[in-house]
Each structure stands twice: as C-alpha cells, then as structure tokens.
Amino acid sequence: MQTEHPNIELINRIDTTDIPAQADLFQPDVVWHFFNAQAADIAGSYCGIDGLSEFFRKVHAHGDGSFAISPRGAWAVGDELVVVQTRNRLGRGEAAIEFDVIVVWRIIDGKIAEVWDIPAVNTAQGIAANDPTVGPATAEIA
C-alpha cells in the first residue's frame, strides 16, 4: 500500500476557514501569491498568517460565502514542491461560476513557505441556477 507524500498530507490538513488555528502548518514568513487579473481586489501577495487569513476572508466574501474547492489531483515534485489541481466554485444561483486552478506549494522543513495560486479565469463556466451542489464552503485544499 502506497502512502501519500508527507507534503501532500500537510496540505490536506489545511482548513481555509480558520487559518490562524493552523499557524503551525506554515513558516512564519509564508507568502501566498494569487494571480487573477479579473479579480484585482483580491490579486496580490499575502504575507504571514495574518496575510493568509485576509486572503481567504476576501475569497470567501467574493463568492458571497459560497467558495468551494474540489480537489482533482496532487503531485509531489521532489521533497520541496507540490502541484495541486482543483476545480473551484464561487457564487450562488445564476451568478455561480466554476474554474480550474493550479496551486504550486513550496514546503521547507515540513512547513508551507510559499504558494502560487493560479486560476484559469478565461475558461470559467457558469453553473445552472438549479444546481444543488452549489452550497457552503468546503475547507479542503487538496
């Protein structure tokens, strides 16, 4: 039986709704880079636990409280990098959209040191208003 790489297990422990409670998963000077020209109010680099908390507050608010992450796959690249593919959802009803995301994580000494969060915004898709899967936020990253 093959076990997951320890860095993937580390990422799987993250709850985006309560970053401060998980400060032990991150280097103190962690940086989260978010690239999205269509969400200029959120795009940028967020530093430290306070910065990450601010980023996820903005993301959850941007989706009217309906932010959801659906993991698709995770790959360890050596012992420092992990690449995660997700399908994310923001909004409710006719305003809901889904989009693919690639997140590259740098893990140093067993803690997350840097993250590059890159959504595929040009191929975002609307979701039917009657889709029952549009609901509350999920907390899993991968």
Side-chain angles (χ1 to χ4, degrees), residues 1 4-5 18 27-28 42 44 50 73-74 80 90-91 109 114 120 123 125-126 131 133 136:
M1 178 175 166
E4 282 191 305
H5 192 283
D18 193 2
Q27 294 286 345
I42 300 175
D50 289 342
E80 183 176 342
L90 282 175
D109 296 329
E114 194 165 13
T123 56
Q125 301 172 347
D131 185 343
T133 64

Side-chain angles (χ1 to χ4, degrees), residues 1 7 15 27-28 37 53 58 66 73 80 85-86 89 94-95 97 100 104-105 107-108 119 122 127 136 138:
M1 178 175 166
N7 290 344
D15 176 353
Q27 294 286 345
S53 296
K58 286 181 178 181
S66 64
E80 183 176 342
Q85 176 192 6
T86 66
R89 178 177 298 142
E94 291 182 21
I97 60 168
D100 295 308
V104 180
W105 305 77
I107 315 296
I108 299 174
N122 294 312
I127 302 171
T138 59

Side-chain angles (χ1 to χ4, degrees), residues 15 18 26 46 58 60 66 71 73 77 92 94 96 105 116 118 123 130 142:
D15 176 353
D18 193 2
F26 300 91
Y46 296 82
K58 286 181 178 181
H60 284 275
S66 64
V77 181
R92 297 182 189 279
E94 291 182 21
W105 305 77
W116 296 270
I118 309 164
T123 56
N130 61 358

Side-chain angles (χ1 to χ4, degrees), residues 25 33 36-37 57 63 70 72-74 87 95 102 104 112 128 130 135 142:
L25 303 179
H33 307 281
N36 186 343
R57 274 193 304 272
S70 297
R72 302 295 188 190
R87 181 85 171 163
I102 292 294
V104 180
I112 299 161
N130 61 358

